[in-house]
Amino acid sequence: MSGGASLRMRRLGIDTYQEPVAYMRSDCNVCKSEGFEARSRIELWRAGTCVVATLNVVHFDLLAGDEIGLSEAAWRALGGDDGDAVLVNHPAPLLSFSSVRAKIYGRPLTGDAAGAIISDVSAGRYSDIELAAFITACSGGRLDTAETIALTRAMAGAGQRLHWDSDIVVDKHCVGGLPGNRTTLLVVPIVAACGLIMPKTSSRAITSPAGTADAMETLAPVALGLPDMRRVVEQEGGCIVWGGAVALSPADDLLIRVERPLGLDSDGMLVASVLSKKIAAGSTHVVIDIPVGRTVKVRSADSARALGERLIQVGAALGITVQVVASDGTQPVGRGIGPALEAFDVLAVLQNQADAPDDLRQRALLLAASVLEMGGRAGPGQGMALARETLASGLAWRKFQSICEAQGGMRSPPRSAHTHVLEAQHRGQVVAIDNRLLAQVAKLAGAPTAKAAGLVFHAPLGTTLEVGQPLLTLHAESPGALAYARAFAERQEHLVTIQS
């Protein structure tokens, strides 16, 4: 750091998600003398900590002339208190972006280029606009296998990397898009109870009504740092923690933040995202669930096959064994959609309750069986019997409780204060379900922010319904959210298709 003009920092309480944003008055001396404009990139320094932020210019008296306002993301990154001095500089030129331009014009992404780009992304030097350009350049089949390997290697090497005292460290992942598919909370205790090491890091929801971390958080703390994560795994053999708290493959979180709103579909980016985190977590063997259906992320068997082959090839090139399971994505899994409601399904399966959702149980057993066989705890074809016995005997339930206690203490999921049952309007058989619309209904009810919100689904494919029978029960934490979700659901013709 050299030079720089000084301003007093001020917390504005503005949520810009993970993007650091700064605010200056248009007549601020620093703004004028340095030639800063709206959307300029500026470098902020406080007590040896540097953050690159996007500037927004204020044209009224929100700030004093010697103040710089900070979004929540910028405030967290810099630390300190209101009034502390912040030095403001122009950032160094973003040299790696020339490789992004080259990729846009059709040149291949080399290993050196991928490394430089990901290093700058991880350091926060890319603006959202520049991240969007990089994501676009890599989308639509523009990354071949060699480029995907280069990008995955760069992303895995950009953050911290865990090492475990075992030759075999297992994991599982689902590519997503299927409501209620909360198998991780079952697979981890089954596998850990059988003696394998499974350090599971999971995501929170971004566009879905619940992520694995959201559901687990209704049962135990998930925001563990690396030392606590390591302690839990060494003590219990497994964990289920929020990946955002352990900073493995940090570039991935920044890319996902921009990639999801763009809605761009890229096998190469997906493979790099999934495998970079598994490699950084120290995994050696991974089972990946790919749900296939017309209203999930992967819509055809051909697409699932191509994605699976890419995952296996890239994993092999980077020293990780990958097995792919293509699964049914035509309807939700279990009954609950929303953090607490999905957690109740998990508890029912773990406790071997008679009315536990069998589809969730069977999916989890299938994945656990694959992991047990890959990890050498069961011979070929013997994993299912071991997984079933571990669940039926109560060993998995006891292991899950121990993991929860090690992560900070087990708790009961919350229950919603307001519910409403949506009923079938005519007689017939359920022949189609729109997973995306169901997820949208659950989100409008308040999930995942309101942990008890969402819906319970009562009409899986093949169900014969009479007029007035329940299709789903909405759960909300306020009357307004309940009414909003109900109105939306009642307008959706194809939420659940019933054929007379």
Side-chain angles (χ1 to χ4, degrees), residues 139-164:
S139 297
R142 292 186 179 91
L143 287 182
D144 62 22
T145 300
E147 291 173 300
T148 305
I149 292 168
L151 182 59
T152 306
R153 180 180 285 113
M155 289 171 64
Q160 301 187 71
R161 189 161 176 175
L162 298 178
H163 299 279
W164 305 96

Side-chain angles (χ1 to χ4, degrees), residues 248-333:
L248 302 175
S249 186
D252 184 50
D253 294 325
L254 297 170
L255 291 168
I256 287 173
R257 172 169 57 82
V258 176
E259 189 176 16
R260 293 278 175 88
L262 290 174
L264 292 175
D265 185 19
S266 166
D267 278 5
M269 294 291 282
L270 187 153
V271 168
S273 171
V274 172
L275 293 186
S276 65
K277 286 191 171 180
K278 303 308 175 191
I279 293 167
S283 300
T284 62
H285 294 71
V286 182
V287 172
I288 298 181
D289 177 19
I290 305 180
V292 183
R294 65 179 184 85
T295 60
V296 293
K297 186 179 292 184
V298 180
R299 301 183 185 181
S300 71
D302 287 344
S303 296
R305 193 176 303 110
L307 176 58
E309 288 172 358
R310 180 76 65 94
L311 284 160
I312 292 168
Q313 290 169 353
V314 174
L318 296 176
I320 184 169
T321 302
V322 176
Q323 180 179 326
V324 173
V325 177
S327 61
D328 178 16
T330 57
Q331 61 180 331
V333 180

